[in-house]
Amino acid sequence: MIAEFKLIERIAALQGADDGVRIGIGDDAAVLAITPGHELAVTTDTLVAGVHFPLDAAPADIGYKAVAVNVSDLAAMGATPRFATLALTLPSIDMGFVEPLLRGIAEAMKRDSLTLVGGDTTRGPFSITITAMGEVAQGTALTRSGAHAGDSVYVSGTLGDAAAALAMRGHWPALDEAGKLAKSRLEQRLAKPHPRVALGHALRGVASACIDISDGLAQDLAHVARLSEAAIVVDVSLLPLSRALQTVVADREQQWPFAFGGDDYELAFCAPPQSAAVIERLATELKLPLTCIGTVGPGQGVHLLDHDGRVRDVPRGYEHFRT
Ligand code: ADP
Ligand code: MG
C-alpha cells in the first residue's frame, strides 16, 4: 500500500502537456483556457462496481470505460474533448488494482485527446467518477430537441454487440473458430467502446438532433422524441447488426432485440431528407456505417415496425435476451 499523496503523484504523471491548462493538478483548482469563440460542454458519469461493471471486470477495462462513457456524451453534443477530472473512491490503495485502472484511464484519455486536470481521492467502496469537458464553436452544439417531422433517423456503427456479450457472459455455447472470433469481437465492443467524436463533430450543422445511445436505443430515442415534441418510427428490419452478432446468434428474430440492449456507444441522429447525400459522404470519409433506421413524424413516443408494417414491442432489458 502507498500513501494517498503518492497515489496523486502517480495520477499527476498521467497529465499530458496542454496549452489550455494554465494551472493543473497540484493546486486547489485547475485553471483552464479554451479556444476563443467556443463554449464548454461538461458531462459527468459515475461507474459503481457491481452496477455498471461486473465485480470481476479487468481494472484496465473499468478505467477505459469510465472515460469512454463520458467522451461519448461529448461526442453526442458535437464537442471536441479537452479536459477531465477524476474522482476516485477506493477501499484501499492496492497498486495491483490501481496501476491497471490508471493505465486504462490514460489509454482512453489519450485516444480522444483528453487532458487530466484534477480530481479527488477518497476512501470507501470502489467507485469512479469522471467529469469531461469539451469545446464546441459558439452556438453549434447538437441537442436532443431539434428533430422535425419528416426528418430521417440514423444510427452509427452496428448495434447490440455489447448487449449480446453481456447477455452471453457465462452462457456461451460451444463455438467453432469463426464463433470464437465473433465472441472476442463482441467482448471487445463491451469492454472497449470507441466513442464517435469525429462523427459528432462532423454532424454540427447537419443533424437536427443527436444523442448517444448508451442507455438503449428505444429509451434514448424516446428522449429525442419527447424533447423534440415528435414521434419516432423505427423499422427494426433496418437495424445495422454486426457480422459477429449474426455469427453468434443465427436467427434474425433473436438478433434484432439486442440492438435495444444498451451499452452501444454509438450516436443516433436525425436529419432532413435533403442531407442524405452529405451523410452518405460522411460515412465514407469516416469509414463508419451510418444507417437510416426510421423517420420522425407528428405525434409522440417511439414506435417499432417490421418491414411489412407489423407493430413490434420494444424489447426491454438485456436479461430477456438470454438465448
Ligand atoms: P484538496 O484538499 O484541495 O481537495 P487534494 O489533496 O484532494 O486537494 O488534491 C490535491 C491536488 O491533486 C488537486 O489539484 C486535485 O485536483 C488533485 N487530485 C486529487 N485526487 C485526484 C485524482 N483522483 N485525479 C486527479 N487529480 C487528483
Ligand atoms: Mg480533495
Side-chain angles (χ1 to χ4, degrees):
M1 288 240 291
I2 62 169
E4 181 191 325
F5 74 90
K6 277 276 184 202
L7 173 62
I8 296 176
E9 255 175 38
R10 295 275 183 101
I11 293 174
L14 298 180
Q15 160 184 246
D18 186 315
D19 285 350
V21 183
R22 303 291 198 249
I23 299 172
I25 293 177
D27 218 307
D28 288 313
V31 176
L32 309 170
I34 64 166
T35 309
H38 286 61
E39 296 166 330
L40 268 189
V42 182
T43 182
T44 296
D45 266 308
T46 296
L47 262 56
V48 176
V51 180
H52 299 98
F53 53 87
L55 294 166
D56 62 350
D61 290 347
I62 298 169
Y64 179 97
K65 200 153 170 182
V67 176
V69 299
N70 279 285
V71 171
S72 185
D73 284 326
L74 293 181
M77 302 301 291
T80 302
R82 291 294 313 267
F83 313 112
T85 62
L86 166 65
L88 259 186
T89 304
L90 298 165
S92 65
I93 302 178
D94 164 8
M95 288 316 281
F97 178 84
V98 173
E99 284 284 10
L101 179 78
L102 295 179
R103 221 184 315 116
I105 291 170
E107 181 192 342
M109 286 205 177
K110 186 161 179 222
R111 184 174 189 283
D112 284 310
S113 308
L114 269 180
T115 304
L116 190 64
V117 298
D120 198 22
T121 308
T122 50
R123 187 188 293 265
F126 176 59
S127 84
I128 175 167
T129 299
I130 289 180
T131 298
M133 289 159 259
E135 63 179 31
V136 57
Q138 231 158 50
T140 66
L142 299 168
T143 67
R144 299 174 171 188
S145 61
H148 297 289
D151 284 356
S152 302
V153 180
Y154 291 83
V155 289
S156 63
T158 59
L159 306 181
D161 290 348
L166 198 60
M168 307 283 249
R169 269 174 73 91
H171 303 267
W172 289 98
L175 297 165
D176 60 10
E177 282 311 306
K180 283 182 195 149
L181 191 63
K183 171 177 184 264
S184 90
R185 290 245 163 88
L186 299 182
E187 286 173 338
Q188 273 301 103
R189 293 269 288 165
L190 178 64
K192 290 264 175 85
H194 290 178
R196 303 305 185 187
V197 172
L199 174 62
H201 190 260
L203 286 175
R204 293 169 314 121
V206 176
S208 54
C210 185
I211 191 165
D212 96 305
I213 49 175
S214 52
D215 290 337
L217 183 62
Q219 194 172 320
D220 287 320
L221 285 180
H223 295 309
V224 174
R226 180 170 38 81
L227 292 166
S228 298
E229 298 179 23
I232 290 178
V233 181
V234 172
D235 179 343
V236 300
S237 70
L238 299 178
L239 295 168
L241 305 176
S242 70
R243 190 161 313 156
L245 178 56
Q246 297 179 57
T247 301
V248 167
V249 183
D251 178 28
R252 173 83 199 180
E253 266 307 294
Q254 293 190 10
Q255 288 164 4
W256 72 263
F258 284 109
F260 291 86
D263 246 350
D264 286 315
Y265 294 88
E266 298 294 345
L267 299 182
F269 59 95
C270 304
Q274 59 268 30
S275 301
V278 174
I279 292 167
E280 205 171 304
R281 224 175 308 129
L282 255 183
T284 310
E285 260 170 50
L286 298 172
K287 298 190 179 67
L288 176 67
L290 301 176
T291 309
C292 178
I293 59 163
T295 51
V296 182
Q300 50 187 1
V302 175
H303 309 271
L304 308 188
L305 296 181
D306 244 348
H307 205 51
D308 54 18
R310 193 158 47 114
V311 175
R312 305 301 304 251
D313 287 333
V314 174
R316 275 172 201 280
Y318 63 84
E319 297 92 334
H320 298 282
F321 303 145
R322 292 247 157 92
T323 48

